[in-house]
Structures are given as C-alpha cells and as structure tokens.
Amino acid sequence: MNEPLPDRDHVSRYCKPSTVGERGQPLASAFAIRSGEGYLSVNWLEYFGIRVGEPAGTEAALDRVRETLRRKGFRLRSNGRFALLNIGTVKTTIRRTFGRSLHVNHLPLPDDESHAGILGYTERDRMIAAEIRAAVGAEDVRAAV
C-alpha cells in the first residue's frame, strides 16, 4: 500500500520499558530508528474506523492496537507505554525545526493491517527523534496494558 496518511489522523508508538523514563514518559530513544530499518514503526489509530480525539474513541482504538500486537506475539509490558502522535503536528514540527519533510505512510503487514511508518529520517538523526518525543505531552501517553 504505502499510502500517505492524513495529517489530521493519529498514530501510536509502543515504547518498551527501557525507553520510558522514571515518570512514565517516553524518552527520545523510543523514537529513534533502529540500525538497518528505514522507518519508525507505528500503528494508525483511525484504521479501525473509530473516532480518535475523544477519550473513549482513543482508548477503543488503542485496545485494537493492543489486540493486534498480542496476536502477533508481541509482549506488551506493564511498565511500557503508548505514545500518541498527531501526524500533522509531527510533520510540521520537524519541518519548522529542521527543514526536513517526514512522511507517515500506511504500511500494512499480513498480521497487522494498521501498521504504518514514519519515514524521512535515519538512525543517525537523534535530534529528530528528540523533537518527536518533545511533541508528546503527558496527555498523549497511555499505559501499555
């Protein structure tokens, strides 16, 4: 598919416990691209046809992401977190700060139809990862389980 997602939509990033700080907030390392990977893996919340932006809708979409990840054999940890990102906010922030264009595309997998990726930076772009992290407010963080 590899289709761009709308700026008004949202994605979630599972932040494993080693990338979560003492106060339960994700660290910049949660948004760093791993060596050899061409994008940051996220899940498109609106994929499920649920209205995101309202608390109940956001939680319902995250429950679907949790189910999907568990079905894939992914182990969600109680001290892990989900970071919620508005696509347009992330793209605008990076463009304004670094003059770089990020893309958020739908990259469905056979066992994860909501899978998406943030493209346009590499594992060497630590400052971009830090700026994405800075776009995550306390209200944008949810428990993993």
Side-chain angles (χ1 to χ4, degrees):
M1 280 234 179
N2 202 8
E3 296 177 12
L5 297 179
D7 284 356
R8 69 181 174 275
D9 283 4
H10 303 81
V11 293
S12 65
R13 168 76 176 163
Y14 174 70
C15 307
K16 61 185 179 179
S18 64
T19 64
V20 176
E22 293 175 5
R23 298 175 190 246
Q25 293 296 308
L27 304 171
S29 58
F31 305 96
I33 294 178
R34 293 183 214 146
S35 181
E37 294 187 1
Y39 59 87
L40 185 73
S41 287
V42 293
N43 288 86
W44 178 25
L45 296 179
E46 281 82 1
Y47 171 80
F48 301 105
I50 298 169
R51 176 175 280 180
V52 176
E54 300 170 2
T58 300
E59 289 308 314
L62 270 176
D63 282 343
R64 298 287 298 273
V65 171
R66 288 179 183 105
E67 290 171 23
T68 298
L69 294 177
R70 285 184 182 118
R71 208 173 30 252
K72 288 172 52 171
F74 198 83
R75 186 169 176 226
L76 300 176
R77 314 269 306 202
S78 61
N79 48 352
R81 295 288 182 271
F82 279 102
L84 308 179
L85 298 163
N86 170 267
I87 293 168
T89 299
V90 170
K91 290 167 59 176
T92 299
T93 298
I94 299 306
R95 189 177 316 111
R96 186 179 311 127
T97 305
F98 300 103
R100 300 265 299 270
S101 293
L102 295 186
H103 309 281
V104 183
N105 292 359
H106 187 205
L107 305 171
L109 301 171
D111 57 356
D112 186 354
E113 288 290 321
S114 68
H115 184 261
I118 301 177
L119 302 94
Y121 72 113
T122 70
E123 68 269 9
R124 294 182 304 277
D125 294 314
R126 297 292 180 180
M127 294 303 293
I128 290 178
E131 196 67 20
I132 293 172
R133 188 275 163 252
V136 178
E139 69 280 2
D140 302 319
V141 178
R142 303 290 192 283
V145 293

